[in-house]
Amino acid sequence: MRIFISGPSGVGKSSVIKEILKRKPDTVLSVSYTTRAPRPGEHDGTDYFFVSRDTFEEMIEKGSFLEWANVHGHLYGTSLAWVESREADGFNVLFDIDVQGVIQAKAQGSKGCFIFLVPPDMEELSRRLNGRGTEDTRQLALRLENARHELTYWTIYDYLVVNDSLEKTIEDVSTIMEAQGLLKEEVIRKLPWLSTIA
Ligand code: ADP
Ligand code: 5GP
């Protein structure tokens, strides 16, 4: 099962995903490739695969990405081989990708559940992004400006979750994932005997 989570920078995607992964041992995060530099505390292979622009462009040419996009001036992409190998091992895969990535994933027929995290309001989004203290003034302004545009894409998602209380958001995302796992398409994959009964 694939679970896509998007939302403007600073809304709380990483915070929510970190807790979901702790609670759901059958779920892994799709580790994306990026040309952005690691933030303090981020590790190569865990948060992202940090690569040069040349390496990223070679991967585009080879068709290695399920989707990729230029987000806030850096390149980000999802490795198709990486995702398929985790799925073959029986894991659910959670994607933290932007709106452009979701559009591509949908166009390629990726099935799954599409969740959009929304801030309580724009002032709170700005406070969170400032409070995180990981971006310089230029990146901060760019991310806030992009947020307004990204928020107009709420219509393409299945679920809108307002990240007001972090604990409630984690519960909501967890509930959505449990319901998704009970869809007949998901259940039947684990019950091959039932699909033989017409
Ligand atoms: P994103 O991954 O969407 O860019 P982060 O998870 O890094 O966002 O969160 C941005 C900042 O907001 C972090 O400092 C985080 O601790 C804080 N934060 C996340 N969710 C909440 C919340 N519900 N209430 C208050 N602060 C939050
Ligand atoms: P950050 O630099 O804050 O980690 O991420 C910036 C944005 O890039 C976020 O909106 C995040 O969802 C998006 N992103 C991260 N990885 C990918 C990816 O592989 N593909 C796409 N399209 N977006 C990504």
Side-chain angles (χ1 to χ4, degrees):
M1 164 169 106
R2 296 182 179 182
I3 305 103
F4 296 84
I5 301 191
S6 304
S9 185
V11 72
K13 298 179 296 296
S14 308
S15 310
V16 172
I17 288 168
K18 203 171 97 190
E19 286 306 313
I20 293 282
L21 293 174
K22 274 193 210 159
R23 293 176 194 196
K24 297 190 182 293
D26 58 351
T27 303
V28 291
L29 175 67
S30 163
V31 181
S32 297
Y33 284 75
T34 185
T35 60
R36 110 157 142 64
R39 294 179 183 139
E42 282 186 336
H43 299 290
D44 189 50
T46 307
D47 300 283
Y48 283 104
F49 294 108
F50 296 98
V51 294
S52 67
R53 206 166 243 268
D54 283 350
T55 304
F56 198 101
E57 282 167 0
E58 273 169 32
M59 291 182 73
I60 296 174
E61 298 225 330
K62 283 192 203 145
S64 308
F65 291 122
L66 182 150
E67 61 72 38
W68 69 273
N70 185 327
V71 191
H72 316 310
H74 302 290
L75 303 180
Y76 296 83
T78 304
S79 157
L80 182 60
W82 195 94
V83 170
E84 287 182 344
S85 88
R86 298 337 307 264
E87 286 179 330
D89 290 339
F91 287 102
N92 299 321
V93 182
L94 229 162
F95 299 78
D96 172 350
I97 66 174
D98 87 319
V99 165
Q100 307 170 72
V102 161
I103 292 170
Q104 291 174 51
K106 282 191 168 204
Q108 286 170 15
S110 244
K111 295 276 180 289
C113 116
F114 295 85
I115 305 173
F116 198 49
L117 283 196
V118 182
D121 53 51
M122 292 306 284
E123 289 70 34
E124 175 61 13
L125 181 67
S126 174
R127 263 194 299 278
R128 286 185 194 168
L129 207 47
N130 270 294
R132 192 171 67 189
T134 48
E135 262 68 40
D136 61 27
T137 320
R138 215 183 119 266
Q139 264 289 323
L140 259 176
L142 179 66
R143 284 175 181 243
L144 279 174
E145 191 186 312
N146 289 345
R148 292 198 169 272
H149 177 66
E150 285 162 9
L151 285 165
T152 65
Y153 283 89
W154 62 268
T155 49
I156 68 171
Y157 291 83
D158 301 316
Y159 296 94
L160 297 182
V161 179
V162 180
N163 182 21
D164 196 346
S165 145
L166 182 59
E167 193 48 43
K168 174 76 167 62
T169 302
I170 293 161
E171 268 172 36
D172 287 348
V173 170
S174 188
T175 303
I176 292 167
M177 287 174 65
E178 273 157 37
Q180 183 76 13
L182 293 172
L183 284 177
K184 60 179 184 287
E185 295 80 3
E186 296 297 337
V187 177
I188 204 75
R189 255 191 271 151
K190 293 167 201 150
L191 291 178
W193 65 266
L194 185 57
S195 58
T196 63
I197 301 176

